[in-house]
Amino acid sequence: MASIDIRNVRKNFGIVSVLHGVDLSIENGEFVVLVGPSGCGKSTLLRMIAGLEEVTEGEIQIGGARVNERAPKDRDIAMVFQSYALYPHMNVAQNMSYSLRLRKAAREKIEAAVSGAAEKLGLQPLLERRPKALSGGQRQRVAMGRAIVRQPKAFLFDEPLSNLDARLREQMRSEIKKLHKDLGATSIYVTHDQIEAMTLADRIVAMHAGVVQQVGSPLELYDRPANLFVAGFIGSPAMNFLSARYEANGDRATARLSDGSLIELPSHYQIENGATVTLGIRPEHVVMSPGSQDGMEAAVDLIEPTGFGIILHLSLHGVPFNVFTLDREALTAGPKVKVSFPPRHVHVFGENGNRAAEAGSRN
């Protein structure tokens, strides 16, 4: 296995720039997930690491060696594609061993590698089947087995679960995580699904419009999003946002909404009094107070039961606003409810969209 270093990498397609100076270091044995909406550049970056796209500017190193000019076959990486890319005329064992047979590896080595990978992935009973006789999940296991037998320096996954149904994606996430734990392999995984990113990653790289927005552990991005994009992208249901005016008075910091309501903030911030800020609150952190005089009144537009919990779609001061609760009494909520925000769960973002720095902080 090996580390991967990406240094000021840019990618242009003609006059269109899709990556704008990406810097990222991935440690040996780390599982890193590139996440972001379609068109953010995550798959392009993965293909550049694999050698399937040329680097316009910057440098990519694998195991400390520059690979910009190396062909994909000379980079010692294995890639698992969204489309599986299995040979239909070959059985499972032949698909898994194809790269080793191309290298003219010894028969005993090939058999041992295929047997070991098949055991890890539960493919032993399927080795004689052809792809058309396999389910989607089984085909994805074969694609991963083909990568494992190569024993590469790094594994690259390009949205490998997007063709599977929800239950099978959940199962395959668990299998991929267990596989990574067993192999200890350096892995880069691309997805637009933030649930996959949260459950799989050692570190998440959130991308938007060809720029890395934040790098950190899943809970770092969830608890302290760097900007409005990360705050809105990570978490389901998505974070609520409200525009307000920042006010600091003595030892108290508040934000005033358009109707004059005051929201208590958890800290003082490096923001001028009267400046416009955006408040963020996750739906699961909103407190509903049925029949209480405290809190702000919101109109109930829709009640959406999910089984585990309930999502209330509200209108707060004319702004769409969601609440997630486990309390089934919410199913009988009237046309209006009262909501309040615990200060410790309120996120504050400045006019530039970045997370506001707390007063006294060096950040």
Side-chain angles (χ1 to χ4, degrees), residues 155-339:
F155 291 93
L156 309 181
F157 297 87
D158 189 9
E159 304 202 44
L161 308 185
S162 60
N163 289 334
L164 306 180
D165 61 52
R167 180 58 60 88
L168 195 51
R169 282 203 306 272
E170 183 179 340
Q171 178 185 339
M172 289 300 298
R173 283 202 306 266
S174 299
E175 293 187 11
I176 290 173
K177 192 159 189 173
K178 183 178 182 298
L179 185 64
H180 177 258
K181 183 178 179 181
D182 292 342
L183 297 176
T186 304
S187 301
I188 305 177
Y189 187 105
V190 161
T191 182
H192 62 272
D193 186 332
Q194 53 95 15
I195 298 297
E196 280 184 24
M198 293 288 289
T199 55
L200 287 172
D202 294 326
R203 282 193 302 156
I204 292 175
V205 179
M207 298 182 65
H208 179 55
V211 176
V212 173
Q213 303 292 317
Q214 186 174 0
V215 180
S217 71
L219 289 183
E220 284 175 341
L221 270 67
Y222 178 85
D223 291 334
R224 293 187 61 82
N227 54 40
L228 289 171
F229 167 77
V230 178
F233 193 82
I234 299 296
S236 181
M239 184 181 284
N240 298 299
F241 298 113
L242 293 170
S243 181
R245 190 172 69 249
Y246 179 74
E247 297 181 0
N249 185 10
D251 60 356
R252 189 180 183 211
T254 59
R256 188 177 297 274
L257 301 181
S258 58
D259 71 338
S261 302
L262 286 177
I263 305 296
E264 187 176 348
L265 301 181
S267 178
H268 284 68
Y269 296 88
Q270 296 177 16
I271 302 173
E272 291 185 6
N273 268 333
T276 300
V277 296
T278 300
L279 305 183
I281 181 77
R282 296 200 179 278
E284 57 269 33
H285 293 152
V286 178
V287 175
M288 285 199 307
S289 309
S292 171
Q293 298 302 312
D294 299 327
M296 294 175 289
E297 191 173 75
V300 178
D301 295 330
L302 176 68
I303 299 176
E304 185 178 13
T306 67
F308 172 67
I310 298 162
I311 302 173
L312 284 87
H313 298 263
L314 311 178
S315 178
L316 182 63
H317 306 320
V319 176
F321 196 88
N322 293 336
V323 175
F324 179 81
T325 178
L326 302 181
D327 186 355
R328 296 204 171 190
E329 290 187 8
L331 289 170
T332 58
K336 294 183 182 297
V337 295
K338 290 288 187 72
V339 295

Side-chain angles (χ1 to χ4, degrees), residues 25-45:
S25 292
I26 299 168
E27 296 179 4
N28 184 15
E30 192 174 22
F31 197 118
V32 168
V33 176
L34 309 180
V35 67
S38 296
C40 71
K42 57 189 185 296
S43 288
T44 299
L45 180 58

Side-chain angles (χ1 to χ4, degrees), residues 61-74:
Q61 294 186 357
I62 300 177
R66 176 184 168 100
V67 297
N68 289 42
E69 293 78 24
R70 291 187 187 179
K73 65 183 179 65
D74 298 325

Side-chain angles (χ1 to χ4, degrees), residues 38-56:
S38 296
C40 71
K42 57 189 185 296
S43 288
T44 299
L45 180 58
L46 191 77
R47 291 173 62 84
M48 292 166 73
I49 296 169
L52 302 177
E53 295 285 357
E54 292 184 359
V55 177
T56 302

